[in-house]
Amino acid sequence: MTVAKVHRLAMTLAVTIALSGMLQGTVRLALAAAATMVLVWIFAPRLHRPSPLALRVIVHASTVVLLGGALIVFGQERIDGVLMIVMLGVANRFVLRAGHRDDLIIIGAASVLIAAATTISPGLAFLLIALTYLPTAMWSLWAATLLASHPDVGRRPAPRQMRTIAGWSLALMMAGFLTVSLLPRYHFSRLLSPGYFMQLAGATRSMDLEVGGVRPPGGGAAVLQIEVQERAGPGVAEGLYARLFALNVFDGKTFTEGEGGRTTSLYSRWNRYDGGPLEFTADDGPQTVRVSMERIARIGQAHPVAAFGRTEPRYVMVRGLSTTESGNWISQSFPRKKAVAYKVDLGRKAEVVPRRPEVRAAQLARLRQLPDDLDPRIRQLAEGLVTETMTTDAKVAAMLRHFAVGYAYSLDPLEGESDNPLIRFLFEAKAGHCELYAGALAVLLRVVGVPARVVTGYYGGRWNDAGAYLEMSEDDAHAWVEIFHEDEGWQWVDATPADARARRKPEVFAWFSDFYKALDKLWYDKVVDFDEAKRRRLIGEVSEQLGELPLVDELTGGGPSGGGGRGGAVGLVLLLVPVVVGGWWSWRRRRRRPDVLGSRLRRMLDPDGDETSTLGQLLASVPAARRAAARRAVLTYEAWRFGPTPTPDGAGPVLEAIAQAERVKV
């Protein structure tokens, strides 16, 4: 492969890999990255050809127009606009490349995209992106330097140092990662937090009842991961509901969250909230699970907390837990990370009681409200299923018996002619998906005076054998009903047929998917989520093995943001180690190069000799006492230098022969 082909292929791959890090961003960012990829591959074959005037005019005009669009986006989503402008610069210079200066601009802009990928694609995908981007970027710059040295270099075969360049670039990158991991954490901006700009999946804050069908599940992104204790086993996590949003307001076709209003701190436990600090110190019980939840709210905003259970929400161990007036659980205490984590004790009931009784009364009144134009047939159906003497449990049971006979689960569009989704579901099609079941049940219960609301979240999930955790994804999205029982508190009721609640299809390569997701979780836990607390624990373990380190306080300071302690000293030492080792190795390799050994041999033969003289001529001027050793050094050097391709590994005998000749006293 020639130098020109290496340059073209490496440059194209480097730009493509950098753009792939944008594909997990917002829709417009992903579309811009995909369009730029297509453009790069179309113009890759003509990377080294001069650009005609017409092409330059078209490209520059298009860039100006698209730049205006990026500036409009900049006013709405700042990070999207910035990255789109960077991609415009990459596309412009790639199509109209005019030399090695453009190569530097392209790789520099691609490196900016790679840096942004740490927040857009912080999972295992970023590791793969980084491991492939660095060698291709180094190859492209190396080939660009050769092309700039002489016009004819591009037609020559590429030197054999490509693997060496790739190996050294990856080794230095890993050494840098390992070193920086032990340095104190500094938080300059929440915009630099991992996952800040990710487009993540989550249950919806509103639910439209429509007559059209819904798409079948198909490999949605993971949202929740539930880890169980080893002694408990996977059975603890079977049949779990994960409620995320409570939808209180119904206008006839849509359930919405309603006004959040002020939040009320609560204590999710057996007893009532007593106004004490919301610190949870309960020991992990046999049914305690650890929940890792993908961030579905911007960093800095209150984050929803998923409530787990089978028939009702269970005890949640999380700081700063509050409830909104709409009934959703939120927390302000989650750190600046891609995911939020907390614990849930599935063995204990969570009785959530607001501070003021009037808040509950007002909330329950909203859960009985119905639109004024509600179809009379719905009222007649609800009132015909129950009697006035029925208890809340009896009313709920009557409703569930009604949906168990004559109704079917279906994702297809509803049959019938009515434009009212509830009328078409309840009286015409009698078939629908979970949203229609939940919406219809909530309305029927409100008609007969039972406080009810629709809740959205996830159900079932899939057990990951490789990672030993339950995973809930977009494919597990579900809707059901939450009612308030005077004696038992909040209860969950699901009218969707039991065999249709889990909609996930079997995966063809489930073992590979489990393995990849387990690696992705390991990458996040050990790398992305490697915060100051974990750094301190690691430093403590290292310090116990190495003993006390000298000059710790002087080297680390001790500021709160820097962390103080031994971390700075260890990080500083480890930062110097690769520099020293790399410098020694480079010096060792350099002294074995043919030109360096030739210069050393000439100095040994005659320090004042002419550079134009041959080694044989210089050998004639060597003193008689050193001449035999000098001749052996010259013959050894010439056999190595002018034999097969000389390598640094084969320079050992030459170095030894020259050293022996230098040791002979004259």
Side-chain angles (χ1 to χ4, degrees):
M1 186 178 292
T2 63
V3 174
K5 289 183 179 179
V6 170
H7 175 263
R8 181 169 57 246
L9 180 60
M11 186 69 68
T12 305
L13 288 176
V15 173
T16 303
I17 293 168
L19 290 170
S20 66
M22 304 292 103
L23 296 179
Q24 292 190 33
T26 59
V27 174
R28 54 189 166 199
L29 197 61
L31 291 176
T36 308
M37 283 185 190
V38 173
L39 192 67
V40 164
W41 280 97
I42 290 176
F43 284 90
R46 62 175 318 281
L47 187 65
H48 298 124
R49 302 176 190 172
S51 302
L53 178 61
L55 179 62
R56 293 199 300 270
V57 171
I58 293 174
V59 172
H60 286 314
S62 302
T63 302
V64 172
V65 173
L66 294 175
L67 180 62
L71 291 176
I72 295 175
V73 175
F74 190 95
Q76 301 172 355
E77 291 289 340
R78 183 166 301 178
I79 187 63
D80 280 11
V82 171
L83 295 178
M84 290 172 67
I85 291 173
V86 173
M87 286 187 279
L88 275 176
V90 170
N92 184 284
R93 288 298 84 204
F94 192 94
V95 174
L96 302 179
R97 178 187 177 274
H100 65 280
R101 292 183 180 179
D102 283 344
D103 297 335
L104 184 61
I105 294 174
I106 293 171
I107 294 300
S111 299
V112 172
L113 298 179
I114 288 292
T118 60
T119 64
I120 296 175
S121 306
L124 190 62
F126 176 74
L127 177 61
L128 301 177
I129 290 172
L131 290 178
T132 51
Y133 171 75
L134 199 60
T136 55
M138 297 300 292
W139 288 339
S140 62
L141 292 177
W142 167 72
T145 303
L146 293 180
L147 290 175
S149 62
H150 194 275
D152 297 331
V153 171
R155 294 190 292 269
R156 298 179 183 178
R160 299 182 179 181
Q161 287 83 6
M162 291 181 61
R163 287 178 296 181
T164 304
I165 292 174
W168 272 103
S169 61
L170 292 175
L172 291 176
M173 181 189 72
M174 297 305 297
F177 280 169
L178 293 175
T179 301
V180 172
S181 66
L182 293 179
L183 293 175
R185 310 286 101 175
Y186 291 94
H187 302 291
F188 298 102
S189 171
R190 67 168 184 246
L191 299 181
L192 302 179
S193 303
Y196 182 71
F197 299 111
M198 287 189 69
Q199 182 182 17
L200 300 171
T204 57
R205 293 178 178 270
S206 64
M207 190 183 77
D208 294 324
L209 299 180
E210 299 177 350
V211 296
V214 297
R215 66 176 180 84
V223 181
L224 292 162
Q225 293 175 344
I226 300 95
E227 301 176 52
V228 302
Q229 303 182 50
E230 292 184 4
R231 65 179 185 271
V236 173
E238 291 181 356
L240 280 181
Y241 288 87
R243 187 207 71 181
L244 200 56
F245 296 112
L247 311 181
N248 299 269
V249 180
F250 178 61
D251 62 3
K253 288 188 177 181
T254 303
F255 282 90
T256 57
E257 185 179 7
E259 295 296 331
R262 58 180 178 272
T263 61
T264 303
S265 297
L266 52 86
Y267 194 24
S268 173
R269 202 171 181 178
W270 300 72
N271 57 325
R272 293 174 177 269
Y273 176 71
D274 56 5
L278 295 174
E279 298 289 339
F280 295 87
T281 58
D283 297 331
D284 293 350
Q287 296 192 55
T288 299
V289 298
R290 181 183 182 274
V291 177
S292 178
M293 180 178 178
E294 295 285 357
R295 179 172 290 280
I296 59 174
R298 282 193 177 277
I299 294 177
Q301 297 178 352
H303 197 278
V305 176
F308 286 83
R310 292 180 176 86
T311 60
E312 57 194 348
R314 312 307 290 180
Y315 175 73
V316 179
M317 288 175 275
V318 60
R319 293 184 179 181
L321 188 65
S322 301
T323 180
T324 64
E325 291 185 7
S326 58
N328 294 324
W329 291 4
I330 61 173
S331 176
Q332 300 276 3
S333 302
F334 287 128
R336 302 168 176 174
K337 297 176 183 176
K338 168 198 168 189
V340 295
Y342 53 96
K343 292 182 179 180
V344 178
D345 190 340
L346 299 175
R348 288 191 285 174
K349 180 180 178 180
E351 182 181 350
V352 182
V353 182
R355 291 182 180 181
R356 299 186 308 279
E358 62 269 16
V359 174
R360 166 177 286 178
Q363 184 180 18
L364 296 182
R366 287 196 297 270
L367 298 185
R368 294 188 179 95
Q369 290 178 353
L370 290 167
D372 296 333
D373 59 348
L374 184 68
D375 195 291
R377 286 174 289 180
I378 298 178
R379 293 186 181 274
Q380 293 173 3
L381 174 62
E383 293 170 354
L385 294 174
V386 301
T387 64
E388 296 182 358
T389 59
M390 279 186 174
T391 62
T392 298
D393 290 336
K395 292 179 181 179
V396 172
M399 299 294 182
L400 294 179
R401 285 195 299 270
H402 173 75
F403 285 107
V405 179
Y407 287 84
Y409 184 84
S410 175
L411 301 177
D412 299 328
L414 299 184
E415 298 179 357
E417 299 179 356
S418 174
D419 60 352
N420 187 322
L422 288 180
I423 294 298
R424 190 178 292 194
F425 171 68
L426 290 171
F427 301 101
E428 297 177 2
K430 291 193 174 182
H433 45 79
C434 63
E435 294 181 355
L436 291 168
Y437 274 97
L441 178 60
V443 171
L444 292 177
L445 288 173
R446 288 189 180 190
V447 170
V448 296
V450 178
R453 62 190 178 194
V454 172
V455 292
T456 59
Y458 307 91
Y459 171 78
R462 180 178 177 277
W463 182 259
N464 187 310
D465 287 322
Y469 60 84
L470 181 74
E471 174 188 277
M472 291 184 174
S473 71
E474 289 179 280
D475 294 339
D476 303 303
H478 191 51
W480 63 101
V481 173
E482 188 172 65
I483 68 170
F484 184 78
H485 197 290
E486 291 294 340
D487 298 325
E488 301 295 333
W490 294 105
Q491 299 289 308
W492 290 345
V493 182
D494 197 347
T496 304
D499 57 351
R501 294 171 189 172
R503 301 189 301 142
R504 186 188 291 237
K505 294 182 178 180
E507 298 185 15
V508 179
F509 298 103
W511 61 270
F512 176 78
S513 175
D514 288 351
F515 182 72
Y516 178 83
K517 291 174 181 177
L519 286 180
D520 188 74
K521 185 176 184 301
L522 183 66
W523 166 261
Y524 176 78
D525 290 342
K526 303 301 182 183
V527 179
V528 178
D529 195 33
F530 190 84
D531 56 7
E532 182 68 15
K534 293 182 179 180
R535 184 193 73 85
R536 287 176 178 270
R537 286 196 297 269
L538 177 61
I539 294 301
E541 295 174 359
V542 172
S543 299
E544 290 178 1
Q545 299 296 326
L546 300 180
E548 294 296 328
L549 299 177
L551 301 179
V552 169
D553 294 333
E554 289 80 356
L555 291 174
T556 60
S561 61
R566 297 181 177 87
V570 175
L572 182 61
V573 171
L574 294 182
L575 184 62
L576 294 177
V577 166
V579 175
V580 174
V581 172
W584 171 81
W585 184 258
S586 299
W587 169 81
R588 183 176 180 274
R589 300 281 292 186
R590 184 181 184 280
R591 65 193 293 264
R592 291 169 176 255
R593 281 167 33 189
D595 57 332
V596 175
L597 280 176
S599 300
R600 179 177 175 181
L601 182 59
R602 284 177 172 276
R603 289 195 300 271
M604 184 271 295
L605 296 175
D606 187 359
D608 301 325
D610 187 0
E611 290 291 335
T612 60
S613 300
T614 64
L615 294 178
Q617 293 172 342
L618 295 176
L619 186 60
S621 60
V622 174
R626 180 182 287 180
R627 188 167 300 164
R631 180 176 285 107
R632 284 195 301 272
V634 171
L635 293 176
T636 304
Y637 172 77
E638 290 180 340
W640 171 73
R641 177 68 179 84
F642 300 107
T645 304
T647 62
D649 296 334
V654 180
L655 279 170
E656 184 178 356
I658 295 176
Q660 288 179 354
E662 290 174 340
R663 285 195 294 268
V664 175
K665 295 182 179 180
V666 179

PDB file of all heavy atoms in Angstrom, residues 153-179:
ATOM      1  N   VAL A 153       6.494  11.178  -2.900  1.00  0.00           N
ATOM      2  CA  VAL A 153       6.415  10.220  -1.800  1.00  0.00           C
ATOM      3  C   VAL A 153       5.104   9.445  -1.830  1.00  0.00           C
ATOM      4  O   VAL A 153       5.043   8.268  -1.458  1.00  0.00           O
ATOM      5  CB  VAL A 153       6.583  10.946  -0.452  1.00  0.00           C
ATOM      6  CG1 VAL A 153       6.284  10.014   0.718  1.00  0.00           C
ATOM      7  CG2 VAL A 153       7.993  11.481  -0.327  1.00  0.00           C
ATOM      8  N   GLY A 154       4.036  10.071  -2.287  1.00  0.00           N
ATOM      9  CA  GLY A 154       2.734   9.420  -2.269  1.00  0.00           C
ATOM     10  C   GLY A 154       2.677   8.143  -3.070  1.00  0.00           C
ATOM     11  O   GLY A 154       1.874   7.250  -2.772  1.00  0.00           O
ATOM     12  N   ARG A 155       3.530   8.000  -4.111  1.00  0.00           N
ATOM     13  CA  ARG A 155       3.518   6.797  -4.940  1.00  0.00           C
ATOM     14  C   ARG A 155       4.414   5.695  -4.396  1.00  0.00           C
ATOM     15  O   ARG A 155       4.445   4.599  -4.933  1.00  0.00           O
ATOM     16  CB  ARG A 155       3.940   7.150  -6.361  1.00  0.00           C
ATOM     17  CG  ARG A 155       2.942   8.053  -7.084  1.00  0.00           C
ATOM     18  CD  ARG A 155       3.274   8.170  -8.545  1.00  0.00           C
ATOM     19  NE  ARG A 155       4.523   8.906  -8.748  1.00  0.00           N
ATOM     20  CZ  ARG A 155       4.598  10.220  -8.930  1.00  0.00           C
ATOM     21  NH1 ARG A 155       3.473  10.940  -8.922  1.00  0.00           N
ATOM     22  NH2 ARG A 155       5.747  10.823  -9.109  1.00  0.00           N
ATOM     23  N   ARG A 156       5.174   5.976  -3.351  1.00  0.00           N
ATOM     24  CA  ARG A 156       6.086   4.987  -2.788  1.00  0.00           C
ATOM     25  C   ARG A 156       5.360   4.102  -1.777  1.00  0.00           C
ATOM     26  O   ARG A 156       4.369   4.511  -1.176  1.00  0.00           O
ATOM     27  CB  ARG A 156       7.263   5.684  -2.113  1.00  0.00           C
ATOM     28  CG  ARG A 156       8.106   6.504  -3.083  1.00  0.00           C
ATOM     29  CD  ARG A 156       9.240   7.175  -2.340  1.00  0.00           C
ATOM     30  NE  ARG A 156      10.028   8.021  -3.232  1.00  0.00           N
ATOM     31  CZ  ARG A 156      11.066   8.753  -2.837  1.00  0.00           C
ATOM     32  NH1 ARG A 156      11.427   8.752  -1.557  1.00  0.00           N
ATOM     33  NH2 ARG A 156      11.719   9.484  -3.710  1.00  0.00           N
ATOM     34  N   PRO A 157       5.892   2.883  -1.572  1.00  0.00           N
ATOM     35  CA  PRO A 157       5.274   2.008  -0.562  1.00  0.00           C
ATOM     36  C   PRO A 157       5.393   2.626   0.832  1.00  0.00           C
ATOM     37  O   PRO A 157       6.388   3.276   1.161  1.00  0.00           O
ATOM     38  CB  PRO A 157       6.080   0.707  -0.671  1.00  0.00           C
ATOM     39  CG  PRO A 157       6.702   0.759  -2.029  1.00  0.00           C
ATOM     40  CD  PRO A 157       6.959   2.206  -2.314  1.00  0.00           C
ATOM     41  N   ALA A 158       4.379   2.398   1.641  1.00  0.00           N
ATOM     42  CA  ALA A 158       4.395   2.933   3.002  1.00  0.00           C
ATOM     43  C   ALA A 158       5.444   2.211   3.839  1.00  0.00           C
ATOM     44  O   ALA A 158       5.609   0.995   3.726  1.00  0.00           O
ATOM     45  CB  ALA A 158       3.023   2.763   3.647  1.00  0.00           C
ATOM     46  N   PRO A 159       6.206   2.917   4.664  1.00  0.00           N
ATOM     47  CA  PRO A 159       7.173   2.266   5.562  1.00  0.00           C
ATOM     48  C   PRO A 159       6.478   1.300   6.514  1.00  0.00           C
ATOM     49  O   PRO A 159       5.250   1.280   6.645  1.00  0.00           O
ATOM     50  CB  PRO A 159       7.794   3.447   6.319  1.00  0.00           C
ATOM     51  CG  PRO A 159       7.587   4.615   5.423  1.00  0.00           C
ATOM     52  CD  PRO A 159       6.273   4.369   4.738  1.00  0.00           C
ATOM     53  N   ARG A 160       7.283   0.502   7.197  1.00  0.00           N
ATOM     54  CA  ARG A 160       6.742  -0.570   8.020  1.00  0.00           C
ATOM     55  C   ARG A 160       6.453  -0.146   9.458  1.00  0.00           C
ATOM     56  O   ARG A 160       6.172  -0.987  10.299  1.00  0.00           O
ATOM     57  CB  ARG A 160       7.720  -1.749   8.036  1.00  0.00           C
ATOM     58  CG  ARG A 160       7.976  -2.336   6.659  1.00  0.00           C
ATOM     59  CD  ARG A 160       8.913  -3.523   6.762  1.00  0.00           C
ATOM     60  NE  ARG A 160       9.159  -4.107   5.453  1.00  0.00           N
ATOM     61  CZ  ARG A 160       9.940  -5.175   5.250  1.00  0.00           C
ATOM     62  NH1 ARG A 160      10.531  -5.763   6.285  1.00  0.00           N
ATOM     63  NH2 ARG A 160      10.110  -5.641   4.033  1.00  0.00           N
ATOM     64  N   GLN A 161       6.523   1.114   9.749  1.00  0.00           N
ATOM     65  CA  GLN A 161       6.346   1.553  11.134  1.00  0.00           C
ATOM     66  C   GLN A 161       4.893   1.761  11.531  1.00  0.00           C
ATOM     67  O   GLN A 161       4.612   2.288  12.600  1.00  0.00           O
ATOM     68  CB  GLN A 161       7.115   2.864  11.380  1.00  0.00           C
ATOM     69  CG  GLN A 161       8.613   2.701  11.459  1.00  0.00           C
ATOM     70  CD  GLN A 161       9.261   2.680  10.098  1.00  0.00           C
ATOM     71  OE1 GLN A 161       8.590   2.897   9.096  1.00  0.00           O
ATOM     72  NE2 GLN A 161      10.566   2.421  10.045  1.00  0.00           N
ATOM     73  N   MET A 162       3.934   1.387  10.678  1.00  0.00           N
ATOM     74  CA  MET A 162       2.534   1.648  10.998  1.00  0.00           C
ATOM     75  C   MET A 162       2.103   0.933  12.282  1.00  0.00           C
ATOM     76  O   MET A 162       1.439   1.513  13.137  1.00  0.00           O
ATOM     77  CB  MET A 162       1.640   1.229   9.835  1.00  0.00           C
ATOM     78  CG  MET A 162       1.790   2.100   8.594  1.00  0.00           C
ATOM     79  SD  MET A 162       0.688   1.587   7.264  1.00  0.00           S
ATOM     80  CE  MET A 162      -0.899   1.824   8.032  1.00  0.00           C
ATOM     81  N   ARG A 163       2.478  -0.330  12.416  1.00  0.00           N
ATOM     82  CA  ARG A 163       2.098  -1.056  13.631  1.00  0.00           C
ATOM     83  C   ARG A 163       2.763  -0.474  14.871  1.00  0.00           C
ATOM     84  O   ARG A 163       2.174  -0.423  15.949  1.00  0.00           O
ATOM     85  CB  ARG A 163       2.457  -2.531  13.476  1.00  0.00           C
ATOM     86  CG  ARG A 163       1.536  -3.288  12.528  1.00  0.00           C
ATOM     87  CD  ARG A 163       1.958  -4.720  12.373  1.00  0.00           C
ATOM     88  NE  ARG A 163       3.276  -4.818  11.745  1.00  0.00           N
ATOM     89  CZ  ARG A 163       3.891  -5.981  11.468  1.00  0.00           C
ATOM     90  NH1 ARG A 163       3.302  -7.116  11.788  1.00  0.00           N
ATOM     91  NH2 ARG A 163       5.067  -5.997  10.893  1.00  0.00           N
ATOM     92  N   THR A 164       4.005  -0.027  14.710  1.00  0.00           N
ATOM     93  CA  THR A 164       4.699   0.588  15.851  1.00  0.00           C
ATOM     94  C   THR A 164       4.002   1.862  16.290  1.00  0.00           C
ATOM     95  O   THR A 164       3.804   2.107  17.494  1.00  0.00           O
ATOM     96  CB  THR A 164       6.154   0.889  15.483  1.00  0.00           C
ATOM     97  OG1 THR A 164       6.787  -0.319  15.048  1.00  0.00           O
ATOM     98  CG2 THR A 164       6.908   1.469  16.668  1.00  0.00           C
ATOM     99  N   ILE A 165       3.599   2.685  15.311  1.00  0.00           N
ATOM    100  CA  ILE A 165       2.901   3.937  15.631  1.00  0.00           C
ATOM    101  C   ILE A 165       1.584   3.634  16.344  1.00  0.00           C
ATOM    102  O   ILE A 165       1.248   4.248  17.367  1.00  0.00           O
ATOM    103  CB  ILE A 165       2.655   4.749  14.351  1.00  0.00           C
ATOM    104  CG1 ILE A 165       3.988   5.258  13.783  1.00  0.00           C
ATOM    105  CG2 ILE A 165       1.707   5.916  14.619  1.00  0.00           C
ATOM    106  CD1 ILE A 165       3.852   5.941  12.453  1.00  0.00           C
ATOM    107  N   ALA A 166       0.830   2.656  15.827  1.00  0.00           N
ATOM    108  CA  ALA A 166      -0.451   2.312  16.453  1.00  0.00           C
ATOM    109  C   ALA A 166      -0.245   1.782  17.861  1.00  0.00           C
ATOM    110  O   ALA A 166      -0.960   2.157  18.797  1.00  0.00           O
ATOM    111  CB  ALA A 166      -1.185   1.287  15.595  1.00  0.00           C
ATOM    112  N   GLY A 167       0.746   0.903  18.029  1.00  0.00           N
ATOM    113  CA  GLY A 167       0.989   0.334  19.351  1.00  0.00           C
ATOM    114  C   GLY A 167       1.383   1.372  20.374  1.00  0.00           C
ATOM    115  O   GLY A 167       0.878   1.371  21.512  1.00  0.00           O
ATOM    116  N   TRP A 168       2.286   2.280  19.978  1.00  0.00           N
ATOM    117  CA  TRP A 168       2.724   3.315  20.918  1.00  0.00           C
ATOM    118  C   TRP A 168       1.599   4.286  21.254  1.00  0.00           C
ATOM    119  O   TRP A 168       1.468   4.733  22.389  1.00  0.00           O
ATOM    120  CB  TRP A 168       3.915   4.080  20.347  1.00  0.00           C
ATOM    121  CG  TRP A 168       5.213   3.438  20.690  1.00  0.00           C
ATOM    122  CD1 TRP A 168       6.010   2.683  19.894  1.00  0.00           C
ATOM    123  CD2 TRP A 168       5.872   3.485  21.965  1.00  0.00           C
ATOM    124  NE1 TRP A 168       7.113   2.246  20.577  1.00  0.00           N
ATOM    125  CE2 TRP A 168       7.061   2.729  21.852  1.00  0.00           C
ATOM    126  CE3 TRP A 168       5.566   4.083  23.181  1.00  0.00           C
ATOM    127  CZ2 TRP A 168       7.942   2.565  22.905  1.00  0.00           C
ATOM    128  CZ3 TRP A 168       6.444   3.917  24.233  1.00  0.00           C
ATOM    129  CH2 TRP A 168       7.605   3.167  24.094  1.00  0.00           C
ATOM    130  N   SER A 169       0.783   4.625  20.262  1.00  0.00           N
ATOM    131  CA  SER A 169      -0.317   5.557  20.533  1.00  0.00           C
ATOM    132  C   SER A 169      -1.308   4.946  21.519  1.00  0.00           C
ATOM    133  O   SER A 169      -1.762   5.608  22.453  1.00  0.00           O
ATOM    134  CB  SER A 169      -1.022   5.935  19.230  1.00  0.00           C
ATOM    135  OG  SER A 169      -1.581   4.793  18.609  1.00  0.00           O
ATOM    136  N   LEU A 170      -1.649   3.661  21.343  1.00  0.00           N
ATOM    137  CA  LEU A 170      -2.577   3.011  22.265  1.00  0.00           C
ATOM    138  C   LEU A 170      -1.967   2.830  23.645  1.00  0.00           C
ATOM    139  O   LEU A 170      -2.643   3.009  24.670  1.00  0.00           O
ATOM    140  CB  LEU A 170      -3.003   1.656  21.700  1.00  0.00           C
ATOM    141  CG  LEU A 170      -3.872   1.701  20.431  1.00  0.00           C
ATOM    142  CD1 LEU A 170      -4.122   0.302  19.911  1.00  0.00           C
ATOM    143  CD2 LEU A 170      -5.187   2.405  20.710  1.00  0.00           C
ATOM    144  N   ALA A 171      -0.665   2.471  23.686  1.00  0.00           N
ATOM    145  CA  ALA A 171      -0.013   2.275  24.984  1.00  0.00           C
ATOM    146  C   ALA A 171       0.035   3.576  25.777  1.00  0.00           C
ATOM    147  O   ALA A 171      -0.237   3.599  26.987  1.00  0.00           O
ATOM    148  CB  ALA A 171       1.399   1.721  24.773  1.00  0.00           C
ATOM    149  N   LEU A 172       0.377   4.678  25.107  1.00  0.00           N
ATOM    150  CA  LEU A 172       0.434   5.966  25.798  1.00  0.00           C
ATOM    151  C   LEU A 172      -0.958   6.423  26.236  1.00  0.00           C
ATOM    152  O   LEU A 172      -1.118   7.033  27.294  1.00  0.00           O
ATOM    153  CB  LEU A 172       1.079   7.008  24.891  1.00  0.00           C
ATOM    154  CG  LEU A 172       2.578   6.810  24.623  1.00  0.00           C
ATOM    155  CD1 LEU A 172       3.079   7.847  23.638  1.00  0.00           C
ATOM    156  CD2 LEU A 172       3.368   6.884  25.918  1.00  0.00           C
ATOM    157  N   MET A 173      -1.984   6.125  25.421  1.00  0.00           N
ATOM    158  CA  MET A 173      -3.344   6.491  25.805  1.00  0.00           C
ATOM    159  C   MET A 173      -3.760   5.738  27.067  1.00  0.00           C
ATOM    160  O   MET A 173      -4.300   6.331  28.014  1.00  0.00           O
ATOM    161  CB  MET A 173      -4.314   6.162  24.672  1.00  0.00           C
ATOM    162  CG  MET A 173      -5.772   6.528  24.984  1.00  0.00           C
ATOM    163  SD  MET A 173      -6.950   5.916  23.762  1.00  0.00           S
ATOM    164  CE  MET A 173      -6.931   4.161  24.134  1.00  0.00           C
ATOM    165  N   MET A 174      -3.520   4.423  27.116  1.00  0.00           N
ATOM    166  CA  MET A 174      -3.898   3.642  28.284  1.00  0.00           C
ATOM    167  C   MET A 174      -3.104   4.087  29.511  1.00  0.00           C
ATOM    168  O   MET A 174      -3.651   4.172  30.618  1.00  0.00           O
ATOM    169  CB  MET A 174      -3.675   2.156  28.011  1.00  0.00           C
ATOM    170  CG  MET A 174      -4.536   1.598  26.889  1.00  0.00           C
ATOM    171  SD  MET A 174      -6.307   1.889  27.132  1.00  0.00           S
ATOM    172  CE  MET A 174      -6.581   0.944  28.631  1.00  0.00           C
ATOM    173  N   ALA A 175      -1.802   4.378  29.319  1.00  0.00           N
ATOM    174  CA  ALA A 175      -0.997   4.859  30.449  1.00  0.00           C
ATOM    175  C   ALA A 175      -1.543   6.185  30.971  1.00  0.00           C
ATOM    176  O   ALA A 175      -1.594   6.426  32.184  1.00  0.00           O
ATOM    177  CB  ALA A 175       0.461   5.000  30.029  1.00  0.00           C
ATOM    178  N   GLY A 176      -1.953   7.056  30.038  1.00  0.00           N
ATOM    179  CA  GLY A 176      -2.527   8.327  30.467  1.00  0.00           C
ATOM    180  C   GLY A 176      -3.826   8.151  31.222  1.00  0.00           C
ATOM    181  O   GLY A 176      -4.061   8.811  32.236  1.00  0.00           O
ATOM    182  N   PHE A 177      -4.702   7.248  30.746  1.00  0.00           N
ATOM    183  CA  PHE A 177      -5.958   6.985  31.443  1.00  0.00           C
ATOM    184  C   PHE A 177      -5.708   6.460  32.851  1.00  0.00           C
ATOM    185  O   PHE A 177      -6.333   6.897  33.822  1.00  0.00           O
ATOM    186  CB  PHE A 177      -6.797   5.982  30.655  1.00  0.00           C
ATOM    187  CG  PHE A 177      -7.551   6.591  29.508  1.00  0.00           C
ATOM    188  CD1 PHE A 177      -8.175   5.799  28.562  1.00  0.00           C
ATOM    189  CD2 PHE A 177      -7.642   7.964  29.361  1.00  0.00           C
ATOM    190  CE1 PHE A 177      -8.866   6.355  27.502  1.00  0.00           C
ATOM    191  CE2 PHE A 177      -8.332   8.539  28.310  1.00  0.00           C
ATOM    192  CZ  PHE A 177      -8.941   7.732  27.381  1.00  0.00           C
ATOM    193  N   LEU A 178      -4.807   5.499  32.961  1.00  0.00           N
ATOM    194  CA  LEU A 178      -4.524   4.919  34.271  1.00  0.00           C
ATOM    195  C   LEU A 178      -3.932   5.954  35.219  1.00  0.00           C
ATOM    196  O   LEU A 178      -4.210   5.952  36.420  1.00  0.00           O
ATOM    197  CB  LEU A 178      -3.567   3.730  34.120  1.00  0.00           C
ATOM    198  CG  LEU A 178      -4.149   2.508  33.395  1.00  0.00           C
ATOM    199  CD1 LEU A 178      -3.069   1.454  33.201  1.00  0.00           C
ATOM    200  CD2 LEU A 178      -5.321   1.926  34.171  1.00  0.00           C
ATOM    201  N   THR A 179      -3.105   6.839  34.673  1.00  0.00           N
ATOM    202  CA  THR A 179      -2.487   7.861  35.516  1.00  0.00           C
ATOM    203  C   THR A 179      -3.503   8.891  35.983  1.00  0.00           C
ATOM    204  O   THR A 179      -3.593   9.221  37.170  1.00  0.00           O
ATOM    205  CB  THR A 179      -1.363   8.562  34.736  1.00  0.00           C
ATOM    206  OG1 THR A 179      -0.401   7.585  34.347  1.00  0.00           O
ATOM    207  CG2 THR A 179      -0.693   9.620  35.597  1.00  0.00           C
TER     208      THR A 179
END
